[in-house]
């Protein structure tokens, strides 16, 4: 074995964002860049000597090359074993499960999630800790600190083993176990939802389309939905992971999954439509003529989770990210369980899940998950929906409407303004922050502001604090507007504006969200002077 110690430069400013480090693929491919960051991670997490580490990614361009480098660096840094998905593939929830199941020290998850892939797309790298979840803030802070003064990295000169075969080999003294990326995940799902009941649903003629968006969920969805649950072959489309996701953004929203949305609102719609993102942690669920807003999906899953096979004991508590609508809070209140509001990003749910305070968590950005892993889990959400549909014997539209009739409807939309020039976006946000204290009492577009703040969170388990997590504006008539700058983009800045209004009256539950929210949308634009300052006349993406 020959370990090389290679001199390198600090890579200032590479702070892991909402979900790991994301950059243009070409940046990660710069000589020494990935290596330097990986060494900073290894040192930031306290070293990997004699540790077992899970490694896998969403299959995007550079996935296999990057895994080869990571394996050679793990060996050089003394890791005892690397557990790698065949062909370098592991969905984010499958990686989380594997870390937990194998009691590994942690894992490298290679993905830029919903961002486009390819040589000219995006790449990303995230370290998950022993609970299977994304590294919490103190760990990402330590990684960041190492990037600032790192001077060298370690790598072995031996080449990494071939990952196309399921077998165990040795790399310079480190065991490399290549595993089936799907099997453990299927076994876990079998314990959580009732495969027999869902198989009967499909056998009775229930029709579905699952768009895997040429990303990592394809093999998992095919194995479970078609292979185990007996859905008609062809139910899963775009089921083969491609390095560039077929040239698309693997983001299950109305813009990037436009065909699926069009199908579900057409005369040819099957009973259910669903899609997941690049790394398999997001999901969208649609019924015939209805798209379930992710915030509603969280509330609905929470309200019905006791019907799913693995959750008969019911709910411990519910957590949602701050910009997610308050629909979940209504379910928590009615069920008499705790409801938590955390900053954006799954890492903030980890402590609550570990402490057994919550069963289910979710974000407005198409993410839901439970205490079965420590990541959001796209296919899990789709399977739990199927189990609930099978148990209730109702359509998705019926289930959603009866939920609104019970709890009221939280009309919701998110408007994204992408690739704004960074200086301009920073200034817009700094001025918005500075104006917070003057906002209460002011009127915008016919609404009056009651309170406004910059969301700060104190973790109820470890007491750590996270400030400046987004500006919240509450209106006297109950509406809410939230402003955040994205932490996952790679080009300029993305401004996200989250808008919601509560409607208790069932006679008013079939309205168009953009119309119901028109006043809040106008007020938010005026408060942050979005059009005026950016010159944009409309958001790039509306979800
Ligand atoms: C976005 C979403 C956030 C999500 C994050 C990672 O972050 O808004 O809810 O947790 O992506 O999702 P931001 O900072 O761009 O708003 V993904 O599917 O990594 O893993
Ligand atoms: Co994702």
């Amino acid at each position: 074995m020959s370990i090389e110690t290679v001199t390198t430069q600090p890579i200032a400013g590479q702070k892991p964002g909402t979900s790991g480090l994301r950059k243009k693929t070409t940046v990660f491919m710069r000589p020494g860049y990935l290596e330097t960051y990986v060494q900073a991670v290894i040192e930031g997490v306290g070293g990997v000597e004699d540790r077992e580490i899970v490694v896998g990614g969403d299959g995007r361009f550079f996935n296999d090359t990057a895994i080869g480098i990571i394996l050679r660096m793990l060996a050089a840094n003394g890791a005892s074993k690397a557990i790698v998905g065949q062909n370098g593939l592991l969905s984010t929830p499958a990686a989380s499960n594997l870390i937990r199941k194998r009691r590994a020290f942690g894992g490298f998850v290679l993905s830029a999630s919903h961002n486009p892939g390819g040589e000219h797309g995006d790449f990303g790298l995230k370290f998950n800790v022993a609970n299977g979840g994304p590294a919490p803030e103190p760990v990402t802070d330590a990684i960041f600190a190492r990037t600032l003064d790192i001077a060298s990295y370690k790598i072995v000169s031996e080449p990494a083993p071939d990952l196309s075969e399921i077998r165990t080999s040795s790399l310079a003294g480190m065991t490399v176990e290549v595993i089936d990326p799907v099997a453990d995940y299927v076994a876990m799902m079998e314990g959580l939802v009732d495969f027999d009941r869902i198989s009967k649903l499909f056998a009775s003629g229930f029709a579905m389309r699952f768009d895997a968006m040429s990303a990592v969920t394809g093999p998992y969805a095919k194995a479970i939905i078609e292979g185990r649950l007996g859905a008609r072959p062809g139910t899963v489309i775009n089921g083969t992971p491609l390095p560039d996701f077929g040239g698309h953004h693997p983001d299950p929203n109305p813009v990037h999954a436009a065909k699926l949305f069009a199908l579900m609102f057409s005369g040819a719609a099957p009973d259910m439509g669903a899609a997941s993102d690049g790394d398999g942690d997001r999901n969208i669920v649609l019924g015939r003529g209805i798209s379930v807003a992710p915030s509603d999906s969280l509330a609905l899953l929470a309200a019905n989770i006791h019907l799913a096979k693995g959750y008969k004991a019911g709910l411990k508590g519910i957590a949602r990210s701050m910009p997610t609508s308050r629909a979940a809070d209504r379910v928590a209140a009615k069920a008499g369980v705790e409801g938590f509001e955390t900053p954006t990003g799954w890492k903030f749910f980890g402590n609550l899940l570990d402490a057994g305070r919550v069963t289910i968590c979710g974000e407005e950005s198409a993410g839901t998950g439970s205490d079965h892993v420590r990541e959001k889990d796209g296919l899990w959400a789709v399977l739990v929906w199927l189990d609930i549909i099978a148990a209730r014997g109702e359509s998705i539209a019926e289930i959603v409407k009866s939920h609104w009739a019970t709890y009221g409807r939280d009309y919701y939309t998110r408007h994204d303004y992408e690739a704004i020039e960074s200086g301009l976006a920073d200034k817009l946000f700094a001025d918005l922050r500075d104006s917070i204290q003057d906002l209460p009492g002011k009127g915008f577009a016919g609404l009056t502001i009651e309170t406004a703040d910059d969301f700060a969170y104190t973790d109820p388990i470890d007491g750590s604090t996270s400030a400046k997590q987004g500006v919240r504006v509450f209106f006297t008539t109950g509406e809410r507007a939230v402003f955040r700058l994205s932490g996952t983009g790679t080009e300029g800045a993305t401004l996200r504006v989250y808008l919601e209004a509560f409607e208790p009256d069932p006679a008013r539950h079939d309205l168009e969200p953009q119309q119901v929210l028109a006043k809040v949308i106008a007020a938010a634009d005026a408060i942050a002077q979005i059009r005026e300052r950016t010159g944009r006349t409309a958001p790039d993406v509306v979800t």
Side-chain angles (χ1 to χ4, degrees), residues 205-209 232 259-273 287-289:
F206 186 87
M208 178 184 186
R209 172 164 296 181
R232 190 177 53 74
K259 273 194 187 160
L260 178 72
F261 278 74
L263 172 73
M264 295 310 296
F265 285 91
S266 76
D271 299 284
M272 180 174 180
R288 216 174 254 141

Side-chain angles (χ1 to χ4, degrees), residues 111-126:
S111 173
S113 189
H114 53 288
N115 296 19
E119 190 168 0
H120 302 290
D122 294 345
F123 195 79
L125 183 60
K126 178 165 80 164

Side-chain angles (χ1 to χ4, degrees), residues 232-265:
R232 190 177 53 74
T235 295
V236 177
I237 61 162
N238 300 316
T240 304
L242 300 175
D244 68 345
F245 308 119
H248 303 293
H249 288 222
D251 190 347
N253 66 29
V255 173
H256 299 301
K259 273 194 187 160
L260 178 72
F261 278 74
L263 172 73
M264 295 310 296
F265 285 91

Side-chain angles (χ1 to χ4, degrees), residues 18 22 113 277 281-282 363 365 376 484 486-488 496:
T18 314
R22 284 187 198 168
S113 189
D277 72 333
D281 56 1
R282 297 188 180 200
E363 296 192 277
S365 53
K376 52 191 184 271
R484 271 185 74 248
S486 157
T488 59
R496 304 202 196 283

Side-chain angles (χ1 to χ4, degrees), residues 253-328:
N253 66 29
V255 173
H256 299 301
K259 273 194 187 160
L260 178 72
F261 278 74
L263 172 73
M264 295 310 296
F265 285 91
S266 76
D271 299 284
M272 180 174 180
S276 52
D277 72 333
D279 60 332
D281 56 1
R282 297 188 180 200
N283 77 92
I284 188 83
V285 166
L286 301 102
R288 216 174 254 141
I290 187 169
S291 144
V292 185
S295 292
D296 276 348
S297 189
L298 170 65
L300 274 146
L301 288 173
N304 290 284
I305 196 94
H306 59 280
L307 299 173
K309 176 180 164 183
Y311 301 88
K312 295 230 173 350
L315 271 181
K316 288 181 194 141
I318 310 173
R320 64 165 172 87
S321 68
M322 179 273 281
T324 304
S325 94
R326 291 163 290 177

